[in-house]
């Protein structure tokens, strides 16, 4: 909570090897990737109840959105799309011609698409699995993040005031936000 007190804890078993976690805030759903003899994706609701547990192969990255969870598996060679019950909707083979790893995933909460950061650039894949865009880069892309504000920013012109006459073709303008 705001004072730093523990609100909830999850029992992940003895000495869990947590690969990654992701919070999908609109539904208060927490996805946890666990590495073990069988890599697992677990999703919990806001009360800490397990919603599903799915075996996903060799898990590497995960990202959640309001419609489900994306994971990369098997040395980042495949991208899986799971729904809110943990059922696999589809899988995509990633870049057969390159062995460059997927460094990070970022799910877009607005359309449930996924952004994929790789050593060679950034890719964008639709919620249905269609490649939308790939931006090549000279440097390695190590991470990617998307932020969506729930409250739109506001911008006001504070000077000159409304109706005020200005005797300049280039007046100083002051803004507040």
């Amino acid at each position: 909570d705001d004072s730093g007190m523990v609100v909830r804890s999850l029992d992940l078993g003895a000495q869990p090897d947590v690969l990654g976690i992701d919070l999908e805030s609109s539904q208060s759903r927490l996805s946890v990737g666990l590495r073990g003899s069988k890599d697992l994706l677990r999703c919990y609701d806001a009360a800490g109840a397990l919603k599903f547990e799915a075996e996903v192969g060799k898990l590497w990255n995960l990202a959640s959105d309001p419609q489900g969870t994306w994971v990369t598996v098997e040395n980042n060679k495949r991208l899986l799309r799971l729904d809110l019950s943990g059922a696999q909707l589809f899988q995509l083979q990633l870049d057969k011609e390159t062995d460059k790893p997927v460094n990070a995933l970022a799910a877009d909460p607005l359309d449930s698409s996924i952004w994929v950061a790789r050593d060679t650039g950034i890719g964008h894949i639709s919620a249905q699995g269609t490649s939308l865009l790939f931006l090549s880069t000279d440097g390695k892309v190590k991470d990617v993040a998307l932020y969506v504000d729930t409250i739109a920013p506001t911008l006001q012109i504070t000077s000159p005031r409304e109706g005020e006459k200005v005797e300049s073709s280039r007046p100083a303008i002051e803004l507040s936000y």
Side-chain angles (χ1 to χ4, degrees):
D1 67 7
D2 292 340
S3 66
M5 297 298 295
V6 173
V7 175
R8 188 166 280 81
S9 64
L10 300 172
D11 181 7
L12 300 177
Q15 299 178 339
D17 186 1
V18 177
L19 174 74
I21 60 172
D22 194 33
L23 174 67
E24 198 295 300
S25 59
S26 72
Q27 297 183 9
S28 299
R29 185 171 41 87
L30 181 70
S31 297
V32 180
L34 296 168
R35 194 158 271 162
S37 60
K38 295 180 180 178
D39 288 2
L40 301 173
L41 175 66
R42 290 183 183 165
C43 287
Y44 298 89
D45 67 13
L50 181 64
K51 299 306 287 178
F52 73 81
E53 178 178 281
E55 288 184 31
V56 292
K58 188 75 171 167
L59 181 64
W60 286 86
N61 293 288
L62 63 97
S64 298
D65 62 61
Q67 301 303 314
T69 304
W70 294 90
V71 295
T72 55
V73 297
E74 295 178 10
N75 295 328
N76 289 312
K77 297 294 183 187
R78 292 187 303 129
L79 179 66
L80 308 180
R81 176 68 169 151
L82 286 75
D83 68 11
L84 293 172
S85 71
Q88 182 177 312
L89 298 175
F90 59 84
Q91 63 177 294
L92 301 173
Q93 188 72 29
L94 292 173
D95 294 340
K96 296 174 190 173
E97 69 278 356
T98 182
D99 61 353
K100 299 296 182 191
V102 172
N103 296 323
L105 298 173
D108 188 332
L110 296 179
D111 63 6
S112 296
S113 63
I114 190 78
W115 289 85
V116 180
R118 303 193 77 155
D119 284 355
T120 54
I122 299 174
H124 188 202
I125 299 170
S126 75
Q128 295 74 34
T130 304
S131 180
L132 301 173
L133 173 73
F134 187 80
L135 301 171
S136 296
T137 59
D138 292 333
K140 293 180 180 181
V141 180
K142 292 294 186 184
D143 206 353
V144 61
L146 298 175
Y147 297 94
V148 178
D149 290 334
T150 56
I151 300 172
T154 59
L155 181 66
Q156 284 185 309
I157 298 174
T158 56
S159 177
R161 291 190 179 104
E162 186 175 347
E164 185 177 344
K165 294 188 183 203
V166 179
E167 306 233 354
S168 171
S169 62
R170 301 188 74 170
I173 297 175
E174 294 178 16
L175 304 173
S176 69
Y177 56 94

